[in-house]
Coordinates of all heavy atoms in Angstrom, one line a residue:
M1 N -3.0 -12.8 8.5 CA -4.0 -11.8 8.1 C -4.5 -12.2 6.6 O -3.6 -12.4 5.8 CB -3.5 -10.4 8.2 CG -4.5 -9.4 7.6 SD -3.9 -7.7 7.9 CE -5.3 -6.9 7.1
D2 N -5.7 -12.1 6.4 CA -6.3 -12.3 5.1 C -6.3 -10.9 4.4 O -6.7 -9.9 5.0 CB -7.7 -12.9 5.1 CG -7.7 -14.3 5.6 OD1 -6.7 -15.0 5.3 OD2 -8.6 -14.7 6.2
Y3 N -5.9 -10.9 3.1 CA -5.9 -9.6 2.4 C -7.1 -9.6 1.4 O -7.4 -10.6 0.8 CB -4.6 -9.4 1.6 CG -3.5 -9.3 2.6 CD1 -2.7 -10.3 2.9 CD2 -3.2 -8.0 3.2 CE1 -1.6 -10.2 3.8 CE2 -2.2 -7.9 4.1 CZ -1.4 -9.0 4.4 OH -0.3 -8.8 5.3
A4 N -7.8 -8.5 1.4 CA -9.0 -8.4 0.5 C -8.6 -8.5 -0.9 O -7.5 -8.1 -1.3 CB -9.7 -7.1 0.8
Q5 N -9.5 -9.0 -1.7 CA -9.2 -9.1 -3.2 C -8.9 -7.7 -3.8 O -8.1 -7.6 -4.7 CB -10.4 -9.8 -3.9 CG -10.1 -10.1 -5.3 CD -8.9 -11.1 -5.5 OE1 -8.8 -12.1 -4.8 NE2 -8.1 -10.8 -6.5
S6 N -9.6 -6.7 -3.2 CA -9.3 -5.3 -3.8 C -7.9 -4.9 -3.6 O -7.3 -4.2 -4.4 CB -10.3 -4.3 -3.1 OG -10.0 -4.3 -1.7
V7 N -7.3 -5.3 -2.5 CA -5.9 -5.0 -2.2 C -5.0 -5.7 -3.2 O -4.0 -5.2 -3.8 CB -5.4 -5.3 -0.8 CG1 -3.9 -5.1 -0.6 CG2 -6.2 -4.4 0.2
I8 N -5.3 -7.0 -3.4 CA -4.5 -7.8 -4.4 C -4.7 -7.2 -5.8 O -3.7 -7.1 -6.5 CB -5.0 -9.3 -4.3 CG1 -4.6 -9.8 -3.0 CG2 -4.4 -10.1 -5.5 CD1 -5.2 -11.2 -2.6
N9 N -5.9 -6.8 -6.1 CA -6.1 -6.2 -7.4 C -5.3 -4.9 -7.6 O -4.8 -4.6 -8.7 CB -7.6 -5.9 -7.7 CG -8.4 -7.2 -7.8 OD1 -7.9 -8.2 -8.1 ND2 -9.7 -7.1 -7.6
R10 N -5.2 -4.1 -6.5 CA -4.4 -2.8 -6.6 C -3.0 -3.2 -6.9 O -2.4 -2.5 -7.7 CB -4.4 -2.2 -5.2 CG -5.6 -1.4 -4.9 CD -5.5 -0.8 -3.4 NE -6.7 0.0 -3.1 CZ -6.7 1.3 -3.0 NH1 -5.6 2.0 -3.3 NH2 -7.8 1.9 -2.7
L11 N -2.4 -4.2 -6.2 CA -1.1 -4.6 -6.5 C -0.8 -5.1 -7.9 O 0.2 -4.9 -8.5 CB -0.6 -5.6 -5.4 CG -0.4 -5.0 -4.0 CD1 -0.2 -6.1 -3.0 CD2 0.7 -4.0 -4.0
K12 N -1.8 -5.8 -8.4 CA -1.7 -6.3 -9.8 C -1.7 -5.1 -10.8 O -1.0 -5.1 -11.8 CB -2.8 -7.3 -10.1 CG -2.6 -8.6 -9.4 CD -3.8 -9.6 -9.8 CE -3.5 -10.9 -9.1 NZ -4.6 -11.9 -9.4
R13 N -2.5 -4.1 -10.5 CA -2.5 -2.9 -11.4 C -1.1 -2.2 -11.3 O -0.6 -1.7 -12.3 CB -3.6 -1.9 -11.0 CG -4.9 -2.3 -11.5 CD -6.0 -1.2 -11.4 NE -6.2 -0.8 -10.0 CZ -7.1 -1.3 -9.2 NH1 -7.8 -2.4 -9.5 NH2 -7.2 -0.8 -8.0
I14 N -0.5 -2.1 -10.1 CA 0.8 -1.5 -9.9 C 1.8 -2.3 -10.6 O 2.7 -1.8 -11.3 CB 1.1 -1.4 -8.4 CG1 0.2 -0.4 -7.7 CG2 2.6 -1.0 -8.2 CD1 0.2 -0.5 -6.2
E15 N 1.7 -3.7 -10.6 CA 2.6 -4.5 -11.3 C 2.5 -4.2 -12.8 O 3.6 -4.1 -13.5 CB 2.2 -6.0 -11.1 CG 3.1 -7.0 -11.8 CD 2.6 -8.4 -11.6 OE1 1.4 -8.7 -11.4 OE2 3.5 -9.3 -11.6
G16 N 1.3 -4.0 -13.3 CA 1.1 -3.6 -14.7 C 1.8 -2.3 -15.0 O 2.4 -2.1 -16.1
Q17 N 1.7 -1.3 -14.1 CA 2.3 0.0 -14.3 C 3.8 -0.2 -14.4 O 4.4 0.4 -15.3 CB 2.0 0.9 -13.1 CG 0.6 1.5 -13.2 CD 0.5 2.5 -12.0 OE1 0.5 2.0 -10.8 NE2 0.3 3.7 -12.3
I18 N 4.4 -1.0 -13.5 CA 5.8 -1.2 -13.5 C 6.3 -1.9 -14.8 O 7.3 -1.5 -15.5 CB 6.3 -2.0 -12.3 CG1 6.0 -1.2 -11.0 CG2 7.8 -2.3 -12.4 CD1 6.6 0.2 -10.9
K19 N 5.5 -2.9 -15.3 CA 5.9 -3.5 -16.5 C 5.8 -2.5 -17.7 O 6.6 -2.6 -18.6 CB 4.9 -4.7 -16.8 CG 5.3 -5.9 -15.9 CD 4.3 -7.1 -16.1 CE 4.7 -8.2 -15.3 NZ 3.8 -9.4 -15.5
G20 N 4.8 -1.6 -17.6 CA 4.7 -0.6 -18.6 C 5.9 0.3 -18.7 O 6.3 0.7 -19.7
V21 N 6.3 0.7 -17.5 CA 7.5 1.5 -17.4 C 8.7 0.8 -18.0 O 9.5 1.4 -18.8 CB 7.8 1.9 -15.9 CG1 9.2 2.6 -15.8 CG2 6.7 2.9 -15.4
L22 N 8.9 -0.4 -17.7 CA 10.0 -1.2 -18.3 C 9.9 -1.2 -19.8 O 10.9 -1.0 -20.5 CB 10.0 -2.6 -17.8 CG 10.5 -2.8 -16.3 CD1 10.2 -4.2 -15.8 CD2 11.9 -2.5 -16.2
G23 N 8.7 -1.4 -20.3 CA 8.5 -1.3 -21.8 C 8.8 0.0 -22.4 O 9.5 0.1 -23.4
M24 N 8.4 1.1 -21.6 CA 8.8 2.4 -22.1 C 10.3 2.6 -22.1 O 10.8 3.3 -23.1 CB 8.2 3.5 -21.1 CG 6.6 3.5 -21.2 SD 5.9 4.6 -19.9 CE 6.5 6.2 -20.4
M25 N 11.0 2.1 -21.1 CA 12.4 2.2 -21.1 C 13.1 1.5 -22.3 O 14.0 2.0 -22.9 CB 13.0 1.7 -19.8 CG 12.5 2.6 -18.6 SD 13.0 1.9 -17.0 CE 14.7 2.6 -17.0
E26 N 12.5 0.3 -22.5 CA 13.1 -0.5 -23.6 C 12.8 0.2 -25.0 O 13.6 0.0 -25.9 CB 12.5 -1.9 -23.6 CG 13.0 -2.7 -22.5 CD 12.2 -4.0 -22.2 OE1 11.1 -4.2 -22.9 OE2 12.6 -4.8 -21.4
E27 N 11.8 1.0 -25.1 CA 11.4 1.7 -26.3 C 12.2 3.0 -26.4 O 12.1 3.7 -27.4 CB 9.9 2.0 -26.4 CG 9.1 0.7 -26.5 CD 7.6 1.1 -26.3 OE1 7.2 2.3 -26.3 OE2 6.8 0.1 -26.3
G28 N 12.9 3.4 -25.3 CA 13.7 4.6 -25.3 C 12.8 5.9 -25.1 O 13.2 6.9 -25.6
K29 N 11.7 5.7 -24.4 CA 10.8 6.9 -24.2 C 11.5 8.0 -23.4 O 12.5 7.7 -22.7 CB 9.5 6.5 -23.5 CG 8.7 5.5 -24.2 CD 7.9 6.2 -25.3 CE 7.0 5.2 -26.0 NZ 6.2 5.9 -27.0
D30 N 11.0 9.2 -23.5 CA 11.6 10.3 -22.8 C 11.5 10.1 -21.3 O 10.6 9.5 -20.7 CB 10.7 11.5 -23.1 CG 11.2 12.8 -22.5 OD1 12.3 13.3 -22.9 OD2 10.6 13.3 -21.6
C31 N 12.6 10.5 -20.6 CA 12.7 10.3 -19.2 C 11.6 11.0 -18.4 O 11.1 10.5 -17.3 CB 14.1 10.8 -18.6 SG 14.3 12.6 -18.6
R32 N 11.0 12.1 -18.9 CA 9.9 12.7 -18.2 C 8.7 11.8 -18.1 O 8.0 11.8 -17.1 CB 9.6 14.1 -18.8 CG 10.6 15.1 -18.6 CD 10.2 16.4 -19.3 NE 10.3 16.2 -20.7 CZ 11.2 16.8 -21.5 NH1 12.1 17.6 -21.0 NH2 11.3 16.6 -22.8
E33 N 8.4 11.1 -19.2 CA 7.3 10.2 -19.2 C 7.5 9.0 -18.3 O 6.6 8.6 -17.6 CB 7.1 9.6 -20.6 CG 6.7 10.6 -21.7 CD 6.6 10.0 -23.1 OE1 5.9 9.0 -23.2 OE2 7.2 10.5 -24.0
I34 N 8.7 8.6 -18.2 CA 9.1 7.4 -17.3 C 8.9 7.9 -15.9 O 8.3 7.2 -15.1 CB 10.5 6.9 -17.7 CG1 10.4 6.2 -19.0 CG2 11.0 5.9 -16.6 CD1 11.8 5.8 -19.6
V35 N 9.5 9.0 -15.6 CA 9.4 9.5 -14.2 C 8.0 9.8 -13.8 O 7.6 9.5 -12.6 CB 10.3 10.8 -14.0 CG1 10.0 11.4 -12.7 CG2 11.7 10.4 -14.1
T36 N 7.2 10.3 -14.7 CA 5.7 10.5 -14.4 C 5.1 9.2 -14.1 O 4.3 9.1 -13.1 CB 5.0 11.1 -15.6 OG1 5.6 12.4 -15.8 CG2 3.5 11.3 -15.4
Q37 N 5.3 8.1 -14.8 CA 4.7 6.8 -14.6 C 5.2 6.2 -13.3 O 4.5 5.6 -12.5 CB 5.0 5.9 -15.8 CG 4.2 6.3 -17.0 CD 2.7 6.4 -16.7 OE1 2.1 5.5 -16.1 NE2 2.1 7.4 -17.2
L38 N 6.5 6.4 -13.0 CA 7.1 5.9 -11.8 C 6.5 6.6 -10.6 O 6.2 6.0 -9.5 CB 8.6 6.0 -11.7 CG 9.4 5.0 -12.6 CD1 10.9 5.4 -12.7 CD2 9.2 3.6 -12.1
S39 N 6.3 7.9 -10.7 CA 5.6 8.6 -9.6 C 4.2 8.2 -9.4 O 3.8 8.0 -8.2 CB 5.6 10.1 -10.0 OG 5.0 10.9 -9.0
A40 N 3.5 7.9 -10.4 CA 2.1 7.3 -10.3 C 2.1 6.0 -9.6 O 1.3 5.7 -8.7 CB 1.5 7.2 -11.7
A41 N 3.1 5.1 -9.9 CA 3.2 3.8 -9.3 C 3.6 4.0 -7.8 O 3.0 3.3 -7.0 CB 4.3 3.0 -10.0
R42 N 4.5 4.9 -7.5 CA 4.8 5.1 -6.1 C 3.6 5.6 -5.3 O 3.4 5.2 -4.2 CB 6.0 6.1 -6.0 CG 6.4 6.4 -4.6 CD 7.6 7.3 -4.4 NE 7.3 8.6 -5.2 CZ 8.3 9.4 -5.5 NH1 9.5 9.2 -5.1 NH2 8.0 10.5 -6.1
S43 N 2.8 6.5 -5.9 CA 1.6 7.0 -5.2 C 0.6 5.8 -5.0 O 0.0 5.7 -3.9 CB 0.9 8.1 -6.0 OG 1.8 9.2 -6.1
A44 N 0.5 5.0 -6.0 CA -0.4 3.8 -5.8 C 0.1 2.9 -4.7 O -0.7 2.3 -4.0 CB -0.5 3.1 -7.2
I45 N 1.4 2.7 -4.6 CA 2.0 1.8 -3.6 C 1.7 2.5 -2.2 O 1.3 1.8 -1.3 CB 3.5 1.6 -3.8 CG1 3.7 0.7 -5.0 CG2 4.1 1.0 -2.6 CD1 5.1 0.6 -5.5
D46 N 1.9 3.8 -2.1 CA 1.6 4.5 -0.8 C 0.2 4.3 -0.4 O -0.1 4.0 0.8 CB 2.0 6.0 -1.0 CG 3.5 6.2 -1.0 OD1 4.3 5.3 -0.7 OD2 3.8 7.4 -1.5
R47 N -0.7 4.5 -1.4 CA -2.2 4.3 -1.0 C -2.5 2.9 -0.6 O -3.2 2.7 0.3 CB -3.0 4.8 -2.2 CG -3.0 6.3 -2.5 CD -4.1 6.7 -3.5 NE -4.0 6.0 -4.8 CZ -3.2 6.4 -5.8 NH1 -2.5 7.5 -5.7 NH2 -3.2 5.7 -6.9
T48 N -1.9 1.9 -1.3 CA -2.1 0.5 -1.0 C -1.6 0.2 0.4 O -2.2 -0.5 1.2 CB -1.4 -0.4 -2.0 OG1 -2.0 0.0 -3.3 CG2 -1.7 -1.8 -1.7
M49 N -0.4 0.8 0.8 CA 0.1 0.6 2.2 C -0.9 1.1 3.2 O -1.1 0.5 4.2 CB 1.5 1.2 2.3 CG 2.6 0.4 1.7 SD 4.2 1.0 2.1 CE 4.3 2.5 1.2
G50 N -1.4 2.3 2.9 CA -2.4 2.9 3.8 C -3.7 2.0 4.0 O -4.2 1.8 5.1
V51 N -4.1 1.4 2.9 CA -5.3 0.5 2.9 C -5.0 -0.7 3.8 O -5.8 -1.1 4.6 CB -5.7 0.1 1.5 CG1 -6.8 -1.0 1.5 CG2 -6.3 1.3 0.8
I52 N -3.8 -1.3 3.5 CA -3.4 -2.5 4.3 C -3.3 -2.2 5.8 O -3.8 -2.9 6.6 CB -2.1 -3.0 3.7 CG1 -2.3 -3.6 2.4 CG2 -1.5 -4.1 4.7 CD1 -1.0 -4.0 1.6
V53 N -2.6 -1.1 6.1 CA -2.5 -0.7 7.5 C -3.8 -0.4 8.2 O -4.1 -0.9 9.3 CB -1.5 0.5 7.7 CG1 -1.5 1.0 9.2 CG2 -0.1 0.1 7.3
S54 N -4.7 0.3 7.5 CA -6.0 0.7 8.1 C -6.9 -0.6 8.2 O -7.5 -0.7 9.3 CB -6.7 1.7 7.3 OG -7.1 1.3 6.0
S55 N -6.8 -1.5 7.3 CA -7.6 -2.7 7.4 C -7.1 -3.6 8.6 O -7.9 -4.1 9.3 CB -7.5 -3.5 6.1 OG -8.1 -2.8 5.0
N56 N -5.8 -3.7 8.7 CA -5.2 -4.4 9.8 C -5.6 -3.8 11.1 O -5.9 -4.5 12.1 CB -3.7 -4.5 9.6 CG -3.0 -5.4 10.7 OD1 -3.4 -6.5 10.8 ND2 -2.2 -4.7 11.4
L57 N -5.5 -2.5 11.2 CA -5.8 -1.8 12.4 C -7.2 -2.0 12.8 O -7.5 -2.3 14.0 CB -5.5 -0.3 12.2 CG -5.9 0.6 13.4 CD1 -5.1 0.2 14.7 CD2 -5.7 2.1 13.1
E58 N -8.1 -1.9 11.9 CA -9.5 -2.1 12.1 C -9.8 -3.5 12.7 O -10.5 -3.7 13.7 CB -10.3 -2.0 10.8 CG -11.8 -2.2 11.0 CD -12.6 -2.0 9.7 OE1 -12.0 -1.6 8.7 OE2 -13.8 -2.4 9.7
Q59 N -9.1 -4.5 12.1 CA -9.3 -5.9 12.5 C -8.7 -6.1 13.9 O -9.4 -6.7 14.8 CB -8.6 -6.9 11.5 CG -8.7 -8.3 11.9 CD -8.0 -9.2 10.9 OE1 -7.6 -8.7 9.8 NE2 -7.8 -10.5 11.2
C60 N -7.5 -5.6 14.2 CA -6.9 -5.7 15.5 C -7.7 -5.0 16.6 O -7.8 -5.5 17.7 CB -5.5 -5.2 15.4 SG -4.4 -6.2 14.4
V61 N -8.2 -3.8 16.3 CA -8.9 -3.0 17.3 C -10.2 -3.8 17.6 O -10.6 -4.0 18.8 CB -9.3 -1.6 16.8 CG1 -10.4 -1.0 17.6 CG2 -8.0 -0.8 16.7
R62 N -10.9 -4.3 16.6 CA -12.1 -5.1 16.8 C -11.8 -6.3 17.8 O -12.6 -6.5 18.7 CB -12.7 -5.6 15.5 CG -14.1 -6.2 15.6 CD -14.7 -6.6 14.3 NE -14.7 -5.6 13.3 CZ -14.0 -5.7 12.1 NH1 -13.3 -6.7 11.9 NH2 -14.0 -4.7 11.3
E63 N -10.7 -7.0 17.5 CA -10.4 -8.2 18.3 C -10.0 -7.8 19.7 O -10.4 -8.4 20.7 CB -9.2 -8.9 17.7 CG -9.6 -9.7 16.4 CD -8.4 -10.2 15.6 OE1 -7.2 -10.1 16.1 OE2 -8.6 -10.8 14.5
S64 N -9.3 -6.7 19.9 CA -8.9 -6.2 21.2 C -10.2 -5.8 22.0 O -10.3 -6.0 23.2 CB -7.9 -5.0 21.1 OG -6.7 -5.5 20.7
V65 N -11.1 -5.1 21.4 CA -12.3 -4.6 22.1 C -13.1 -5.8 22.5 O -13.6 -5.9 23.6 CB -13.1 -3.7 21.1 CG1 -14.5 -3.5 21.7 CG2 -12.4 -2.4 20.9
E66 N -13.2 -6.9 21.7 CA -13.9 -8.1 22.0 C -13.3 -8.8 23.2 O -14.0 -9.4 24.0 CB -14.0 -9.0 20.8 CG -14.9 -8.6 19.7 CD -14.8 -9.5 18.5 OE1 -14.0 -10.4 18.5 OE2 -15.5 -9.1 17.5
K67 N -12.0 -8.6 23.4 CA -11.3 -9.3 24.5 C -11.2 -8.4 25.7 O -10.7 -8.7 26.8 CB -9.8 -9.6 24.1 CG -9.8 -10.7 23.0 CD -8.3 -10.9 22.6 CE -8.2 -11.8 21.5 NZ -6.8 -11.9 21.0
G68 N -11.7 -7.1 25.6 CA -11.7 -6.2 26.7 C -10.3 -5.5 26.9 O -10.0 -5.0 27.9
E69 N -9.5 -5.6 25.9 CA -8.1 -5.0 25.9 C -8.1 -3.6 25.4 O -9.0 -3.2 24.7 CB -7.2 -5.9 25.1 CG -7.1 -7.3 25.6 CD -6.2 -8.2 24.7 OE1 -5.9 -7.7 23.5 OE2 -5.9 -9.3 25.1
G70 N -7.1 -2.8 25.8 CA -6.9 -1.5 25.2 C -6.4 -1.5 23.8 O -5.9 -2.5 23.3
T71 N -6.6 -0.4 23.1 CA -6.3 -0.3 21.7 C -5.3 0.8 21.4 O -4.8 0.9 20.2 CB -7.6 0.0 20.9 OG1 -8.1 1.2 21.3 CG2 -8.6 -1.2 21.0
E72 N -4.8 1.5 22.4 CA -3.9 2.6 22.1 C -2.6 2.2 21.5 O -2.1 2.8 20.6 CB -3.6 3.4 23.5 CG -4.8 4.0 24.1 CD -5.6 3.0 25.0 OE1 -5.1 1.9 25.3 OE2 -6.7 3.4 25.3
H73 N -2.1 1.1 21.9 CA -0.8 0.6 21.4 C -1.0 0.2 19.9 O -0.1 0.3 19.1 CB -0.3 -0.6 22.2 CG -1.1 -1.9 22.1 ND1 -2.3 -2.0 22.7 CD2 -0.9 -3.0 21.4 CE1 -2.8 -3.2 22.4 NE2 -2.0 -3.8 21.6
L74 N -2.2 -0.3 19.5 CA -2.4 -0.7 18.1 C -2.4 0.5 17.2 O -1.8 0.5 16.1 CB -3.8 -1.4 18.0 CG -3.9 -2.7 18.8 CD1 -5.3 -3.2 18.7 CD2 -2.9 -3.8 18.1
V75 N -3.0 1.6 17.7 CA -3.1 2.8 16.9 C -1.7 3.4 16.7 O -1.2 3.8 15.6 CB -4.0 3.9 17.5 CG1 -3.9 5.2 16.8 CG2 -5.5 3.4 17.5
K76 N -0.9 3.4 17.8 CA 0.5 3.9 17.8 C 1.3 3.1 16.8 O 2.1 3.6 16.0 CB 1.1 3.8 19.2 CG 2.5 4.4 19.3 CD 3.0 4.3 20.7 CE 4.4 4.8 20.7 NZ 5.1 4.7 22.0
E77 N 1.1 1.8 16.9 CA 1.9 0.9 16.0 C 1.5 1.1 14.5 O 2.4 1.2 13.6 CB 1.6 -0.6 16.3 CG 2.4 -1.6 15.5 CD 2.1 -3.0 15.9 OE1 2.1 -3.3 17.1 OE2 1.8 -3.8 15.0
A78 N 0.3 1.4 14.2 CA -0.2 1.6 12.9 C 0.4 3.0 12.3 O 0.9 3.0 11.2 CB -1.7 1.7 12.8
V79 N 0.4 4.0 13.2 CA 1.0 5.3 12.8 C 2.5 5.1 12.6 O 3.0 5.6 11.6 CB 0.7 6.3 13.9 CG1 1.5 7.6 13.7 CG2 -0.8 6.6 14.0
E80 N 3.2 4.4 13.4 CA 4.6 4.1 13.2 C 4.9 3.4 11.9 O 5.8 3.7 11.2 CB 5.2 3.4 14.4 CG 5.3 4.2 15.7 CD 5.7 3.4 16.9 OE1 6.0 2.2 16.7 OE2 5.8 4.0 18.0
L81 N 4.0 2.5 11.6 CA 4.2 1.8 10.3 C 4.1 2.7 9.1 O 4.8 2.7 8.2 CB 3.1 0.7 10.1 CG 3.5 -0.7 10.6 CD1 2.3 -1.6 10.5 CD2 4.6 -1.3 9.8
L82 N 3.1 3.6 9.2 CA 2.9 4.6 8.1 C 4.0 5.5 8.0 O 4.5 5.9 6.9 CB 1.5 5.3 8.3 CG 0.3 4.4 8.0 CD1 -1.0 5.2 8.4 CD2 0.2 3.9 6.6
I83 N 4.5 6.0 9.1 CA 5.6 6.9 9.1 C 6.9 6.2 8.6 O 7.6 6.8 7.8 CB 5.9 7.5 10.6 CG1 4.7 8.4 11.0 CG2 7.2 8.2 10.6 CD1 4.8 8.8 12.4
K84 N 7.1 5.0 9.0 CA 8.3 4.3 8.5 C 8.2 4.1 7.0 O 9.2 4.0 6.3 CB 8.3 2.9 9.2 CG 9.5 2.1 9.0 CD 9.3 0.7 9.6 CE 10.5 0.3 10.4 NZ 10.4 -1.0 11.0
S85 N 7.0 3.9 6.4 CA 6.9 3.7 5.0 C 7.2 4.9 4.2 O 7.4 4.8 3.0 CB 5.5 3.2 4.7 OG 4.5 4.2 4.8
R86 N 7.3 6.0 4.8 CA 7.6 7.3 4.0 C 9.0 7.5 3.7 O 10.0 7.4 4.1 CB 7.1 8.5 4.8 CG 5.6 8.5 4.8 CD 5.1 8.9 3.5 NE 3.6 8.6 3.4 CZ 3.0 8.9 2.3 NH1 3.5 9.6 1.4 NH2 1.7 8.7 2.2

């Protein structure tokens, strides 16, 4: 599967957030600030996983429809992936 540049950019921003948290820890910042930043990074990761799964689902459904195949199993698999990621 090809990943959109927007998804790659999201992950690069998350990488920057994590590096920022490491810097905060090295500076001895307050734990509340660190936890807040980690929570923001986790939320960004969750949203990115949703984007990846939905993009993949869209592509797979399109291919299945073109082949005349059913798509129910694809939707079920996507939902299971999202549930598993929680």
Side-chain angles (χ1 to χ4, degrees):
M1 174 173 179
D2 291 328
Y3 295 97
Q5 188 61 45
S6 61
V7 173
I8 293 167
N9 290 343
R10 281 175 180 258
L11 290 173
K12 287 181 179 181
R13 281 193 300 274
I14 294 166
E15 178 183 31
Q17 281 181 296
I18 297 300
K19 286 181 180 178
V21 170
L22 288 169
M24 291 171 66
M25 293 175 84
E26 290 168 353
E27 294 171 8
K29 296 285 184 176
D30 183 71
C31 72
R32 288 179 291 251
E33 294 177 53
I34 291 170
V35 169
T36 298
Q37 291 304 312
L38 286 172
S39 178
R42 181 176 54 196
S43 294
I45 289 170
D46 288 343
R47 288 190 305 273
T48 302
M49 284 189 290
V51 168
I52 290 170
V53 170
S54 67
S55 296
N56 182 59
L57 176 61
E58 181 183 349
Q59 180 181 349
C60 291
V61 166
R62 190 177 309 117
E63 290 171 3
S64 288
V65 168
E66 289 172 0
K67 294 177 185 175
E69 300 173 348
T71 59
E72 297 82 17
H73 69 285
L74 296 171
V75 174
K76 183 178 177 184
E77 184 179 310
V79 170
E80 288 174 2
L81 270 173
L82 289 172
I83 290 170
K84 187 184 224 182
S85 71
R86 291 286 164 174

